[in-house]
Amino acid sequence: MTHHTTSPRFKDNTKAALVDPELQKALHFVETNFPQRRRNVADMLPEFDALRDSARDIKNHTLSFLDLYLETFEARAMARGSKVHFAVTADEANRIVTDICREHGAEVITKGKSMVGEETGLNAFLEANGFAPVETDLGEYIIQIRHELPSHIIMPAVHLRKAQIEADFRRVHKDLPKDRNLDEPAALLAEARATLRAKFLAADVGITGANFLVAETGSAVIVTNEGNGDLTATLPKVHIVLASIEKLVPTLDDMAQLMRVLARSATGQEMSVYTTVMTGPRRPDDPDGPLEHHIVIVDNGRTAMLAGKFRDMLRCIRCGACLNHCPVYHAIGGHAYGWVYPGPMGAVLTPSLIGIDKAGHLPNASSFCGRCEEVCPVRIPLPRLMRFWREREFERRLSPTVQRTGMKLWAFFAKRPRLYRLATWPAMQVLAWFGRKQGRFRSLPFATGWTKHRDLPAPQGKTFQEQWRERSRS
Amino acid sequence: MSSRDLVFASIRRALGVTGAEEPRRKAVADRLRDHPRGVIPKRGQLGAEERIALLLAKIEAVSGTTQRIASLDDLPAAVGDYLRAHNLPLALKRGADPVLAAAPWEREPALTVTIGATAGDDLVAISHADGAAAETGTLVLLSGPDNPTTLNFLPDNHIVVVAADTVQGDYESVLAALRDRFGPDGLPRAINLVTGPSRSADIEQTLILGAHGPRRLHVILVDRQASLNGV
């Protein structure tokens, strides 16, 4: 059971997003804050780019030996008392988690933020089976009470303004005084903290994701700023970790390399507040910690990516830097992408997971400015991977007929330079003559789709090829 | 075929391997045994005194507070002063940690110190960090009866004692110390790397301290190891 996707309606989604004034204000924060914050901490660490190379190499190495590291991880986690489960599909992952909750008669289930949990639609599945999981990351909690998908992979509620969150809190927290003051973000946080603290203390089962799985020690690692992940992992009798196969790293030293690029790329912090290496359940003399520790390892389409052109995408550590630096994301936000993963990483990952037939618009929503690749901590060539999807879409005849015919027509002329010049020269003369006063066209016949959002500059005289010939001669 | 076997079979098909290739198994075994270090920032490669200065500066930079005392003998007064300065009740929860146990708490007679994990009803907890990484002001706290994990997260105020000679320059040195002591098969249930007090910026990216964990983190660096080692 995965989330219903609106990716096929991407174009309608973007139109709505562009005229949503609250969303546009919220997105302005992302554009103005995060690139600068990342820049600041990157500049403070001279080794930052060398660390990105190191992070890339560690992930590549791990993926090349994934079967063996996974085997080692499984054996060592089990030796420390964790129960390790494997799920081929999203549905299977959901069933494994639900069965554990049922076995323990879980009345209260707390959840730390997990993107793979969003991907499998875990909350909806649990709810359909009579459970009521509570998200505990503040942003996730907000979107859960709004019944929304996250609009960003590390800041799920970044599309919202304070007043919208206040309205939601007043709607949901009915037992609190109506005249309470929620003007400040701190008051909203305090209310969420108090509400969720009760859930933490009552929880029977806690579910978190993992940022890393360490083969050397059989440990699962979570990184948070709020501390909600640790409360979710520590207080209930049962802790379930949901993690996809590409979260593996060989050793603790490899984890340290990745830690150095993760927070800097994500929030522009040098280090997130809490990084926790968790190995097995409570020990005989431990006064706290879960009595049972489960690790659910999810494939859900990743082994198919490992085989093909999209293996590079499996290096992704879900930092969100590509979203934070993307002009398309800045303009339309995360929900327009229509599924769990937005921005450039979503444009590559979503078609892999839900199909290019549903998500074909996503890899097309790029100006190929290349900022995503420039900032990626594991150097994923995101523009190139988006281009692979465009090619595949073309090969599978999924792109619109007009576009395909146009491309063919253009290719016909492009392969015949003489004919190309012959055909374009008069057209350029005509355009130049019509555009000589304004210097640009606000609209053109047969190209209104293009000129609706931008002006076409009028030709300024000689064509590029003419100028090229002239300059080569001299 | 079980799901486990299916996942392994898919991975091996994708990589074009059987899993039995000796050179591959050796490459993995070597890396796990040697755990090669990658790029280590120069910023932490300092003498002991500069390393401590860097640690304290980095903690302050992430909204923690710091204090330095000469020996464990000064700890009760430092804690008492901190609690009074923040109008907190003179009550404290700690684990069975021998270093914390060795502090002369009787010198602060008004202070009530109770021992154990917390169920969420303690305002202040004190822990003894196993070490620290100066490069980002990161404290290393280990689970167990000495320093229960719940003390790191549930109380509003967390006081952490760090011995000067356990301050390392970088994460790798911290991890190496843990590996030496526990072996790769013997890590404690939880290693908490803590960098500043809990925070959230999920509402309009306004940074607020005290999201779900402590609102305040106060680090007390203890200089003289003699009294710490004496226990």
Side-chain angles (χ1 to χ4, degrees), chain A residues 64 148 171:
Chain A
S64 306
E148 287 180 333
R171 175 174 57 78

Side-chain angles (χ1 to χ4, degrees), chain B residues 190-223:
Chain B
I191 303 168
N192 291 120
L193 305 175
V194 176
T195 312
S198 158
R199 67 199 58 203
S200 176
D202 271 341
I203 301 171
E204 292 187 353
Q205 286 148 62
T206 309
L207 183 69
I208 312 164
L209 298 181
H212 289 296
R215 294 166 211 265
R216 295 197 193 100
L217 176 74
H218 185 62
V219 176
I220 301 179
L221 188 106
V222 185
D223 260 314

Side-chain angles (χ1 to χ4, degrees), chain A residues 345-416:
Chain A
M345 59 81 69
V348 175
L349 194 56
T350 304
S352 301
L353 298 178
I354 68 171
I356 186 66
D357 53 326
K358 292 201 187 82
H361 290 307
L362 272 47
N364 285 296
S366 167
S367 63
F368 283 164
C369 70
R371 287 179 83 193
C372 49
E373 184 175 357
E374 267 170 47
V375 298
C376 177
V378 285
R379 302 199 188 276
I380 298 172
L382 288 156
R384 195 174 79 206
L385 299 183
M386 279 185 254
R387 253 194 314 268
F388 286 160
W389 277 125
R390 291 186 184 190
E391 285 163 14
R392 197 164 293 187
E393 196 189 13
F394 190 81
E395 284 159 14
R396 289 185 50 192
R397 305 183 163 275
L398 291 167
S399 37
T401 321
V402 176
Q403 193 185 324
R404 302 178 65 82
T405 317
M407 291 301 280
K408 274 189 195 146
L409 200 65
W410 182 82
F412 176 83
F413 284 102
K415 284 182 205 152
R416 295 164 178 81

Side-chain angles (χ1 to χ4, degrees), chain A residues 34 47 67 74 80 92 136 139 162 193 216 226 253-254 260 270 273 275-276 279 283 288, chain B residues 3-4 12 31 42-43 58 135 150 156 172 179 185 189 193 195 198 202 204-205 212-213:
Chain A
F34 282 89
E47 297 88 352
D67 54 329
E74 181 197 23
R80 305 314 314 277
E92 190 178 4
T136 59
K162 197 191 68 203
R193 178 183 165 113
E216 180 190 6
E226 298 184 3
D253 291 82
D254 294 321
R260 288 203 183 91
E270 290 210 299
V273 178
T275 299
T276 300
T279 316
R283 306 293 157 75
D288 48 24
Chain B
S3 295
R4 177 193 180 278
R12 288 183 169 136
R31 190 173 184 108
K42 285 209 178 61
R43 75 154 68 140
K58 286 290 176 188
E135 65 170 297
T150 39
D156 269 11
E172 281 81 354
R179 199 185 271 122
D185 304 326
R189 185 193 66 78
L193 305 175
T195 312
S198 158
D202 271 341
E204 292 187 353
Q205 286 148 62
H212 289 296

Side-chain angles (χ1 to χ4, degrees), chain A residues 35-308:
Chain A
Q36 190 55 48
R37 284 183 200 174
R38 176 191 171 278
R39 187 75 261 152
N40 292 346
V41 290
D43 288 347
M44 281 162 69
L45 189 68
E47 297 88 352
F48 187 62
D49 281 332
L51 280 159
R52 292 170 63 200
D53 291 340
S54 172
R56 174 200 58 206
D57 296 346
I58 289 166
K59 282 290 192 174
N60 280 342
H61 169 84
T62 315
L63 290 170
S64 306
F65 295 92
L66 190 59
D67 54 329
L68 300 179
Y69 283 121
L70 194 54
E71 228 171 46
T72 307
F73 174 82
E74 181 197 23
R76 298 197 179 176
M78 282 166 60
R80 305 314 314 277
S82 296
K83 294 181 181 170
V84 182
H85 312 256
F86 288 85
V88 176
T89 62
D91 199 53
E92 190 178 4
N94 292 340
R95 273 187 280 120
I96 292 167
V97 173
T98 307
D99 286 347
I100 298 168
C101 293
R102 193 174 289 128
E103 185 192 326
H104 290 276
E107 294 194 357
V108 180
I109 301 171
T110 46
K111 260 189 92 223
K113 197 173 109 53
S114 158
M115 286 313 296
V116 70
E118 292 287 348
E119 176 187 321
T120 65
L122 178 60
N123 283 352
F125 193 96
L126 283 167
E127 282 161 15
N129 283 278
F131 297 102
V134 181
E135 292 289 349
T136 59
D137 171 84
L138 179 59
E140 282 284 335
Y141 177 70
I142 292 166
I143 62 158
Q144 185 183 34
I145 63 177
R146 293 173 61 87
H147 310 288
E148 287 180 333
L149 279 173
S151 68
H152 189 290
I153 61 173
I154 64 157
M155 299 172 288
V158 75
H159 58 291
L160 295 170
R161 307 260 292 155
K162 197 191 68 203
Q164 294 168 291
I165 299 165
E166 179 182 345
D168 289 317
F169 277 23
R170 290 194 188 280
R171 175 174 57 78
V172 174
H173 303 153
K174 286 204 180 76
D175 48 341
L176 296 172
K178 283 201 169 50
D179 58 352
R180 68 192 188 280
N181 186 332
L182 291 177
D183 288 347
E184 293 303 318
L188 291 166
L189 176 68
E191 185 164 313
R193 178 183 165 113
T195 305
L196 290 170
R197 182 55 73 93
K199 299 287 183 189
F200 282 128
L201 294 171
D204 304 298
V205 174
I207 304 168
T208 67
N211 294 81
F212 310 108
L213 301 175
V214 185
E216 180 190 6
T217 55
S219 313
V221 183
I222 56 171
V223 178
T224 74
N225 274 319
E226 298 184 3
N228 66 306
D230 287 283
L231 289 171
T232 304
T234 308
L235 296 176
K237 292 189 294 287
V238 181
H239 174 210
I240 306 172
V241 178
L242 196 62
S244 46
I245 54 172
E246 80 278 17
K247 295 290 172 189
L248 267 172
V249 294
T251 67
L252 292 170
D253 291 82
D254 294 321
M255 172 194 77
Q257 296 288 296
L258 289 157
M259 268 160 44
R260 288 203 183 91
V261 295
L262 176 59
R264 288 182 171 93
S265 303
T267 51
Q269 290 167 284
E270 290 210 299
M271 179 79 162
S272 300
V273 178
Y274 302 112
T275 299
T276 300
V277 181
M278 298 172 292
T279 316
R282 185 191 291 211
R283 306 293 157 75
D285 58 347
D286 275 356
D288 48 24
L291 299 169
E292 266 187 37
H293 192 236
H294 296 265
I295 301 168
V296 183
I297 294 172
V298 186
D299 179 343
N300 199 32
R302 281 152 180 87
T303 48
M305 292 171 69
L306 191 63

